[in-house]
Amino acid sequence: CGTHASPLVVALRAGLLVAVGALLAAAAPAERTDTRVPSSDAHADTLRHTVQAGETLIAALPAPDYRAVNAPALSWLVDRSFMWRTLPQERGTLAIRFEHDRREPVVMLVEIVG
């Protein structure tokens, strides 16, 4: 019964703190002035991904600094990577919209299969 944590426990705690910090940063409300669909001259790129239900999807966006307009729970953005931990009971296709001040919007279609 020692008072010191093993290196594995310390590493797991540090990883958990980093993940929680990323979740809190992603949970901050994004400033939105207009949530309407953009006009026809501003088309959205479409990214398509498939993930097994209960698995984690990690996908790259075309550039950094996008913000998710309708992100699902248990998801976050870091730089230009989008990460989403799906739940085992989730199925179907979800459209996630990402916007940027100076770039074209992006729609990610994620098919959850089981």
Side-chain angles (χ1 to χ4, degrees):
C1 287
T3 58
H4 298 324
S6 73
L8 177 60
V9 171
V10 172
L12 288 173
R13 286 180 183 163
L16 181 60
L17 287 174
V18 169
V20 168
L23 282 172
L24 291 174
E31 292 183 26
R32 284 190 254 163
T33 57
D34 189 2
T35 58
R36 292 177 293 154
V37 175
S39 63
S40 60
D41 57 83
H43 70 283
D45 287 333
T46 303
L47 307 173
R48 297 177 189 277
H49 294 280
T50 302
V51 64
Q52 281 289 126
E55 297 292 319
T56 300
L57 169 72
I58 300 174
L61 294 171
D65 300 324
Y66 276 93
R67 63 185 169 276
V69 175
N70 60 336
L74 302 176
S75 69
W76 57 94
L77 287 164
V78 177
D79 194 29
R80 61 181 286 180
S81 296
F82 173 73
M83 184 172 172
W84 175 27
R85 174 70 172 155
T86 63
L87 299 175
Q89 65 272 20
E90 291 178 308
R91 300 289 186 283
T93 301
L94 178 69
I96 305 165
R97 184 176 177 84
F98 300 93
E99 292 181 346
H100 192 284
D101 293 335
R102 296 178 303 275
R103 294 186 178 91
E104 296 292 324
V106 171
V107 175
M108 183 180 297
L109 294 177
V110 180
E111 181 181 7
I112 307 165
V113 297

